[in-house]
Amino acid sequence: MSNPVRIAPRSGVAFGLSKGQTLTVIDPDGCQVADLLAFAAKDVREVISNGRTFDYEETLRLTTGNTLWSNRSRRLLTITADSVGCHDFLLTPCSKATFRHFYPDKPVHRGCFGNLAEALAPWGVVEDDIPVAFNCFMNVPVAADGAISVEPPPSKAGDSISLRAEEDLIIGLTACSAYASNGGSFKPIDYRIE
Amino acid sequence: MSNPVRIAPRSGVAFGLSKGQTLTVIDPDGCQVADLLAFAAKDVREVISNGRTFDYEETLRLTTGNTLWSNRSRRLLTITADSVGCHDFLLTPCSKATFRHFYPDKPVHRGCFGNLAEALAPWGVVEDDIPVAFNCFMNVPVAADGAISVEPPPSKAGDSISLRAEEDLIIGLTACSAYASNGGSFKPIDYRIE
């Protein structure tokens, strides 16, 4: 098994993932979130869609066996292993605007949105093409009345989720920059491709 | 008060809505869904975003007082009246692909997605720019385990929702074409601009 690659706290990367390869996202220290995006390599206007995924998977709680579908109704990633079972596909990547809104007394950070935009720009992805990310390990309970909140992730050190590429993909992946989503700490994220 | 405009069953329209104007979407016969999209008139790459709206409104159940936010974190529409209190912002417009998936024994229809794409094309909107719509009157309960289902709308004949434009907008609006979302019937939708 290859050594994992480390994503520094509050940063992001982008890389190719070939059809059939498996990406494993690891929370090395526990209680951290990784925002994951997947674009079709042959046309980055095709991208994972929370709405299409909720349509076809018929659940908000995605785990082993579920697929992340694209805006063009094609399968892009299938979850093949998951030691946490708690991820979010409702909320957008944190950004300068969300920092100003939620943390008005704290320094503004470009957040996962800014990190993804920079990392994905060389692949031809522009800011408006960045949709809701699949937020690995993010804990967003939905109350009976529809109210949502952001709670600390339940992931422990070494927990992971694995996803198999169903097409040739460009992946964007971050170590989350927001306070609420990771319990107030900024930690790295590791990943491995097999 | 102006007479309402009627959208024929299984069709869609697009029109401008100026800042400060109020759009009222009416279910004239009851138990019907209208898919609503709103784009910034000055740049249609800015569009309502379910994820940004869930971020800022902190609920999945949007009603009077809630705002529909754009992918650029700006307010596009504010709900000013709502006689139903049940709408969906999780699921994508029905399309040829969703018809094949959910109704394999029924004729394929281009659905709200195809109707929106045709109606919005003259405004410079391409298919990949069509995100999750705000689905007026659509009934998508979320179970405690995250499972979602599509149930008949609770709207009665004459029920309506009103939304005030916070920017100059291009609106896309449909009378829903899918079987499950409107209880198996295809009915018109009315709207009024004030």
Side-chain angles (χ1 to χ4, degrees), chain B:
Chain B
M1 192 180 287
S2 60
N3 287 323
V5 179
R6 176 145 294 190
I7 304 173
R10 303 187 105 182
S11 75
V13 297
F15 50 86
L17 186 73
S18 298
K19 182 174 178 174
Q21 287 188 316
T22 293
L23 168 67
T24 298
V25 181
I26 305 153
D27 183 354
D29 297 335
C31 201
Q32 172 60 309
V33 165
D35 285 15
L36 170 69
L37 287 175
F39 299 81
K42 67 180 175 187
D43 181 354
V44 294
R45 292 303 310 276
E46 181 170 14
V47 60
I48 54 168
S49 160
N50 66 346
R52 290 280 178 226
T53 300
F54 296 152
D55 272 337
Y56 295 127
E57 300 300 313
E58 301 184 48
T59 181
L60 304 185
R61 297 285 169 212
L62 302 157
T63 185
T64 304
N66 288 124
T67 290
L68 307 187
W69 293 75
S70 81
N71 56 332
R72 297 183 189 171
S73 286
R74 294 197 312 146
R75 297 170 189 268
L76 294 192
L77 286 165
T78 297
I79 302 172
T80 56
D82 178 8
S83 68
V84 179
C86 175
H87 315 284
D88 170 67
F89 209 7
L90 294 170
L91 301 180
T92 46
C94 54
S95 66
K96 287 183 181 177
T98 60
F99 269 83
R100 290 191 195 101
H101 183 95
F102 290 109
Y103 314 113
D105 59 334
K106 292 198 166 67
V108 171
H109 190 274
R110 67 181 183 176
C112 289
F113 185 83
N115 288 330
L116 288 164
E118 182 178 87
L120 288 160
W123 305 92
V125 175
V126 300
E127 287 194 356
D128 287 329
D129 294 336
I130 296 179
V132 173
F134 181 71
N135 303 306
C136 304
F137 319 128
M138 191 171 183
N139 186 6
V140 182
V142 179
D145 67 353
I148 53 180
S149 56
V150 178
E151 306 294 340
S155 45
K156 306 299 181 194
D159 269 336
S160 65
I161 181 173
S162 296
L163 308 101
R164 185 183 63 231
E166 305 295 351
E167 301 288 340
D168 290 340
L169 301 175
I170 305 300
I171 298 291
L173 190 64
T174 72
C176 182
S177 308
Y179 297 89
S181 56
N182 51 32
S185 65
F186 305 122
K187 296 171 180 169
I189 284 288
D190 290 351
Y191 71 93
R192 182 186 288 123
I193 297 173
E194 284 152 306

Side-chain angles (χ1 to χ4, degrees), chain A residues 45 52 55 72 92 128-129, chain B residues 45 55 72 92 128-129:
Chain A
R45 291 305 309 274
R52 289 281 180 227
D55 272 337
R72 298 183 190 170
T92 46
D128 286 330
D129 294 336
Chain B
R45 292 303 310 276
D55 272 337
R72 297 183 189 171
T92 46
D128 287 329
D129 294 336

